[in-house]
């Protein structure tokens, strides 16, 4: 439990679980996704912005990011630095295989009305939640109390040599993407299949949106919208080579008490190559 | 080179270099001379593909072999199709496949020994070129193995590759 508590506390610090719509998109963008050299390095940008991959709003803090290597072990982020609009960091791909860089948060959130009819939230806006204090800080008899088990993930993938799948294994906690098509084996003119899970079970009816990069140079978003099927699957036909931002969201009312609902958001950056 | 003289050269080479009864598969490859400010020799990957695009045999991968710390491997991925089809599974350098880059001109590469054990069937000879600060091009020449008669199917490149002539001998 100690381990889980620490994970939750760390994860929730980013404040991504606080209530409210997220108009802006958080993304992590690798400069390369497919590498052939011995012992390669990849540099990344991480930011929050409206137009994807243009860092012009807020940096995404690197302290919330982690990386997993081909052996399933945690990998260090090097040279992390945060500027006005973006963070940057490097990853050393010492072992051939696939690496996942991610931000993962999961825990309880609550909202209610106090005796004056004012809306209250837990965790409060900008506050670091301490799961141990949930019971003492959330009044269980409050008016219109809504407790939700929330999760949020932001991911991207890079591969040295042959793609493999150890780093892609789901945690079975919260809302996750499990690649059926390998995320570093995406090619224009082909279709890719991804499965979404909520707490390890297929996330049925999740809404998925895919945006091609480069909105600055066109007039329409050219968003692709999909819904996961009965197996939690979506098939994505890439309209062309380039970088893509995928966003997905899921909600249901099948949570363990004290929560009454589950809610998950997922985002990932993919690179589709021409053949 | 005129047709007659190339046939003469082919016959001469066939007689000179291929043992009696051995089948031939060799490639005449033209690396174009380009008028560019910064020229680097292209990386080249040559392989035999099955009709389902899988690799039947890697024939040759020509790249900057001699750079320190195998730094030349950094750009192997730019031969995107070869990398995807099977290059990424190899631990380079591979004996008998890896080689140094070749410069502008016409080169003749003999793969007869490498394809000797190829199962009978339909194949494509694939040639992919990628050049630092330059472009990329892939060409394919369909062929049947073993060849029933001598043939010289060819393909014409547009930018990074010149003319390719596949020399097949039964």
């Amino acid at each position: 439990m100690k381990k889980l508590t620490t994970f939750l506390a760390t994860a929730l610090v980013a404040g991504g679980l606080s209530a409210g719509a997220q108009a802006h998109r958080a993304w992590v963008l690798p400069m390369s996704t497919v590498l052939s050299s011995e012992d390669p390095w990849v540099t990344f940008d991480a930011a929050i912005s409206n137009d994807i991959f243009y860092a012009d709003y807020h940096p995404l803090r690197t302290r919330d990011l982690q990386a997993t290597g081909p052996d399933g072990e945690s990998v260090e982020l090097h040279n992390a630095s945060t500027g006005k609009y973006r963070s940057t960091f490097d990853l050393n791909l010492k072992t051939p295989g696939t690496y996942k860089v991610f931000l993962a948060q999961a825990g309880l959130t609550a909202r209610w009305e106090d005796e004056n009819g004012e809306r209250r939230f837990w965790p409060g806006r900008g506050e670091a939640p301490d799961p141990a204090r949930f019971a003492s800080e959330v009044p269980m008899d409050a008016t219109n109390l809504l407790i939700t088990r929330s999760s949020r993930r932001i991911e991207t993938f890079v591969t040295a040599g042959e793609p493999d799948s150890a780093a892609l294994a789901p945690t079975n906690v919260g809302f996750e993407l499990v690649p059926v098509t390998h995320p570093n084996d995406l090619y224009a003119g082909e279709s890719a299949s991804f499965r979404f899970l909520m707490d390890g079970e297929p996330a049925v009816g999740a809404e998925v949106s895919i945006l091609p990069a480069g909105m600055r140079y066109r007039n329409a978003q050219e968003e692709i919208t999909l819904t996961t099927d009965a197996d939690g699957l979506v098939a994505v036909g890439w309209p062309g080579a380039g970088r893509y931002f995928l966003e997905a969201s899921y909600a249901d009312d099948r949570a363990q008490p004290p929560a009454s609902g589950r809610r998950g958001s997922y985002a990932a950056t993919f690179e589709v190559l021409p053949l | 080179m005129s047709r007659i003289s190339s046939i003469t050269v082919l016959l001469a080479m066939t007689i000179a270099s291929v043992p009696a009864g051995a089948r031939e598969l060799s490639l005449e490859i033209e690396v174009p001379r380009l008028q560019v400010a910064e020229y680097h020799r292209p990386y080249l990957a040559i392989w035999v593909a099955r009709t389902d695009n899988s690799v039947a045999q890697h024939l040759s991968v020509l790249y900057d072999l001699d750079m320190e710390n195998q730094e030349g491997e950094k750009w192997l991925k730019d031969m995107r199709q070869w990398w995807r089809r099977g290059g990424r599974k190899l631990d380079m350098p591979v004996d008998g496949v890896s080689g140094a880059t070749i410069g502008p001109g016409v080169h003749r590469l003999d793969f007869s020994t490498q394809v000797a054990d190829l199962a009978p069937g339909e194949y494509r000879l694939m040639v992919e070129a990628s050049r630092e600060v330059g472009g990329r091009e892939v060409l394919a020449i369909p062929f049947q193995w073993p060849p029933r008669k001598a043939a010289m199917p060819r393909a014409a490149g547009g930018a990074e590759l010149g003319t390719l002539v596949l020399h097949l001998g039964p």
Side-chain angles (χ1 to χ4, degrees):
Chain A
M1 191 56 208
K2 171 85 172 76
K3 195 171 191 179
L4 181 62
T5 309
T6 310
F7 165 74
L8 290 176
T10 310
L12 290 160
V13 164
L17 289 176
S18 56
Q22 286 163 13
H24 290 88
R25 300 171 170 120
W27 45 266
V28 179
L29 180 69
M31 294 300 122
S32 316
T33 58
V34 170
L35 297 113
S36 56
S37 51
E38 300 278 322
D39 200 25
W41 287 74
V42 182
T43 190
F44 294 76
D45 283 344
I48 300 164
S49 66
N50 262 338
D51 273 352
I52 47 160
F53 311 142
Y54 297 118
D56 60 2
Y57 179 60
H58 279 314
L60 186 66
R61 305 281 167 185
T62 56
R63 68 182 176 212
D64 304 320
L65 293 169
Q66 309 173 57
T68 301
D71 49 9
E73 295 292 308
S74 186
V75 180
E76 186 187 353
L77 305 183
H78 294 274
N79 306 321
S81 164
T82 295
K84 175 74 176 165
Y85 287 140
R86 68 175 167 147
S87 292
T88 177
F89 61 91
D90 303 329
L91 200 64
N92 184 7
L93 283 52
K94 284 185 174 165
T95 314
T98 298
Y99 292 69
K100 175 164 79 176
V101 175
F102 64 100
L103 175 155
Q105 306 166 333
L108 292 176
T109 59
R111 67 182 210 206
W112 66 94
E113 285 165 28
D114 65 14
E115 54 275 18
N116 304 318
E118 298 278 325
R119 272 227 169 144
R120 302 285 301 273
F121 299 97
W122 192 94
R125 285 189 190 279
E127 283 177 20
D130 177 356
R133 289 164 61 186
F134 181 87
S136 60
E137 294 182 354
V138 177
M140 298 306 281
D141 56 353
T143 312
N144 291 332
L145 173 66
L146 184 67
I147 301 175
T148 306
R149 192 161 292 277
S150 298
S151 76
R152 179 192 189 205
R153 255 180 193 274
I154 299 164
E155 300 185 331
T156 195
F157 310 88
V158 296
T159 294
E162 192 177 8
D164 61 17
S165 56
L168 310 179
T171 63
N172 297 329
V173 175
F175 185 49
E176 298 177 279
L177 176 145
V178 183
V180 178
T181 306
H182 194 285
N184 293 136
D185 199 24
L186 308 176
Y187 292 86
E190 297 184 0
S191 169
S193 182
F194 301 123
R195 171 174 276 116
F196 287 88
L197 301 180
M198 177 52 113
D199 294 335
E201 301 287 325
V204 181
E207 289 173 13
V208 180
S209 150
I210 293 151
L211 282 172
M215 179 57 206
R216 185 179 291 173
Y217 312 115
R218 60 178 189 261
N219 291 329
Q221 291 284 336
E222 293 177 10
E223 181 186 24
I224 301 166
T225 53
L226 302 163
T227 305
T228 58
D229 68 12
D231 298 313
L233 288 166
V234 286
V236 185
W238 308 108
R243 286 143 158 185
Y244 288 83
F245 179 75
L246 177 150
E247 261 179 316
S249 61
Y250 175 85
D252 68 18
D253 56 2
R254 307 195 334 248
Q256 298 280 341
S260 57
R262 300 187 291 183
R263 197 176 62 207
S265 76
Y266 178 91
T269 303
F270 297 110
E271 185 175 41
V272 175
L273 294 174
L275 256 189
Chain B
M1 194 186 283
S2 75
R3 173 174 271 186
I4 290 174
S5 66
S6 62
I7 289 171
T8 312
V9 169
L10 169 68
L11 286 173
M13 286 192 67
T14 307
I15 292 162
S17 63
V18 181
R23 295 169 181 132
E24 187 202 2
L25 188 152
S26 67
L27 178 70
E28 210 178 291
I29 177 170
E30 181 188 9
V31 175
R33 191 172 298 281
L34 301 167
Q35 297 303 317
V36 290
E38 181 183 344
Y39 180 78
H40 300 272
R41 290 175 167 192
Y43 275 30
L44 284 168
I46 304 167
W47 72 102
V48 175
R50 298 186 188 92
T51 48
D52 67 354
N53 292 324
S54 64
V55 176
Q57 183 89 45
H58 293 280
L59 298 178
S60 193
V61 181
L62 308 182
Y63 65 104
D64 279 335
L65 265 178
D66 296 330
M67 289 179 77
E68 271 180 45
N69 302 322
Q70 302 178 314
E71 189 69 20
E73 293 180 14
K74 180 170 179 178
W75 301 282
L76 287 174
K77 60 161 173 70
D78 293 337
M79 296 186 283
R80 293 189 294 249
Q81 190 156 149
W82 169 76
W83 185 250
R84 204 270 176 113
R85 299 301 184 204
R88 64 193 186 186
K89 290 183 184 167
L90 301 178
D91 188 7
M92 299 298 281
V94 173
D95 279 353
V97 173
S98 298
T101 54
I102 52 179
V106 176
H107 306 262
R108 178 81 172 254
L109 307 170
D110 190 346
F111 302 118
S112 304
T113 316
Q114 282 165 276
V115 297
D117 297 329
L118 205 59
E122 300 288 331
Y123 296 97
R124 279 175 300 148
L125 182 92
M126 306 293 300
V127 179
E128 183 165 18
S130 177
R131 190 166 50 86
E132 187 179 349
V133 297
R136 167 192 173 266
E137 187 163 20
V138 190
L139 290 177
I141 304 179
F143 68 96
Q144 192 171 53
W145 190 259
R148 270 175 286 188
K149 56 181 174 35
M152 290 169 55
R154 48 178 68 214
E160 298 297 333
L161 288 166
T163 302
L164 305 182
V165 185
L166 183 60
H167 295 264
L168 296 164

